Amino acid sequence: MKIYKVASYEQMSQEAAKHILKVMTEKPNALLGLATGSTPVGMYQALIRETRATGFSWQHIVTYNLDEYVGLDALDEQSYAHFMNVNLFDHVSIDQAHVHIPNGKAEDLEAECRAYEASLKTAGGVDIQVLGIGRNGHIGFNEPNDAFEPYTHVVHLDEKTIEDNARFFESKEKVPKTAISMGVESILSAKKIILLACGKEKAQALYDMLYGPITPQLPASILQKHGDVEVICDEAAASLLKGPFDV
Ligand code: PGA
């Protein structure tokens, strides 16, 4: 894995946007794997700015998001569908028919997971996947567990995740307890992966991901198996890492 340490959140966001812009420019119908959370917000802002400045057309770009809460639909302000609209899709010329986010309101959640995975496969695979990392080492909503979940699945959220995400809800009790998430094989099938991390609360997870054993107890460690991962992190998130940085 390559590790790229930057001085600020703004720089991390710019650098991440640069990777995505490169893929989009080389392939105007690229398939982007997208993430939610506080970390990628600045990257989406940079992408909006840059594509507006250059007049890049999003018309043929296709997106697949990593995850969605069960029980929330796109109109719910806490849903990831809403997050994506507010932070990216409402500001670019993307065709909504090309946007894919698991349906957290599906009547048959297992069928929704199977359909999402099949659609991802049929679409031809992700060209560049954006990831954040949880304090507990999750990627998407692949939570610490006894075994890796390979494909899109329903997941019971970890207590740490519920605590971390409570800041977006009125109270911790309002955070959904389950979600749909791409699995680790779905993620690893991306051609290229960029993982963004900022803040000292991510430092241990980042260290374990890079130097610890590959274990489902720290789902991000599976990324050690992928040949093209770039970690873009600020100094606080990198504070436990030892140089030289390419591992
Ligand atoms: P955060 O979440 O960006 O809100 O810290 C990251 C993640 O859980 O993947």
Side-chain angles (χ1 to χ4, degrees):
M1 282 190 242
K2 281 195 186 125
I3 303 170
Y4 192 70
K5 192 166 76 156
V6 295
S8 65
Y9 177 79
E10 186 52 33
Q11 226 182 314
M12 179 193 75
S13 305
Q14 285 288 354
E15 183 62 23
K18 213 166 77 186
H19 281 285
I20 299 175
L21 284 165
K22 183 168 184 290
V23 171
M24 295 202 305
T25 310
E26 285 169 3
K27 186 175 176 188
N29 62 344
L31 205 158
L32 312 180
L34 300 179
T36 51
S38 305
T39 309
V41 170
M43 178 197 76
Y44 291 133
Q45 287 167 357
L47 270 181
I48 294 165
R49 257 192 330 265
E50 294 291 327
T51 51
R52 277 191 182 160
T54 57
F56 178 85
S57 168
W58 285 71
Q59 205 143 21
H60 301 294
I61 295 291
V62 177
T63 65
Y64 277 80
N65 264 76
L66 284 167
D67 45 17
E68 178 60 285
Y69 289 115
V70 166
L72 306 188
D73 64 27
L75 296 175
D76 193 304
E77 289 190 4
Q78 306 304 340
S79 72
Y80 286 161
H82 181 80
F83 173 100
M84 290 308 301
N85 286 335
V86 169
N87 286 289
L88 180 65
F89 299 144
D90 286 350
H91 311 283
V92 296
S93 56
I94 197 158
D95 180 345
Q96 276 290 338
H98 293 168
V99 167
H100 303 84
I101 301 176
N103 176 9
K105 287 283 269 190
E107 252 176 54
D108 183 340
L109 293 169
E110 297 298 335
E112 171 63 16
C113 292
R114 284 194 300 275
Y116 197 74
E117 191 67 35
S119 164
L120 183 62
K121 219 158 256 158
T122 308
V126 168
D127 290 297
I128 183 163
Q129 175 69 54
V130 180
L131 295 175
I133 184 168
R135 267 195 309 151
N136 61 1
H138 74 195
I139 44 173
F141 274 140
N142 288 278
E143 301 285 46
N145 208 339
D146 293 338
F148 286 111
E149 284 278 0
Y151 301 114
T152 305
H153 59 287
V154 176
V155 58
H156 292 279
L157 298 180
D158 191 62
E159 192 54 30
K160 253 190 190 169
T161 299
I162 291 173
E163 269 168 31
D164 286 349
N165 292 3
R167 68 191 193 278
F168 299 112
F169 291 80
E170 273 170 39
S171 66
K172 192 176 145 188
E173 288 61 46
K174 292 258 162 78
V175 183
K177 305 289 178 282
T178 50
I180 293 177
S181 177
M182 276 191 201
V184 294
E185 288 297 336
S186 337
I187 292 170
L188 288 179
S189 69
K191 294 183 186 84
K192 180 178 186 62
I193 296 175
I194 53 174
L195 182 140
L196 281 51
C198 60
K200 64 174 179 349
E201 60 284 355
K202 301 293 174 70
Q204 188 65 51
L206 205 55
Y207 177 90
D208 292 341
M209 170 186 102
L210 290 161
Y211 304 114
I214 297 178
T215 164
Q217 294 300 338
L218 194 107
S221 61
I222 196 85
L223 297 175
Q224 291 176 26
K225 287 194 165 183
H226 194 281
D228 189 357
V229 179
E230 181 155 341
V231 177
I232 309 169
C233 53
D234 72 356
E235 282 171 17
S239 57
L240 298 178
L241 308 186
K242 32 188 182 207
F245 280 126
D246 283 0
V247 294

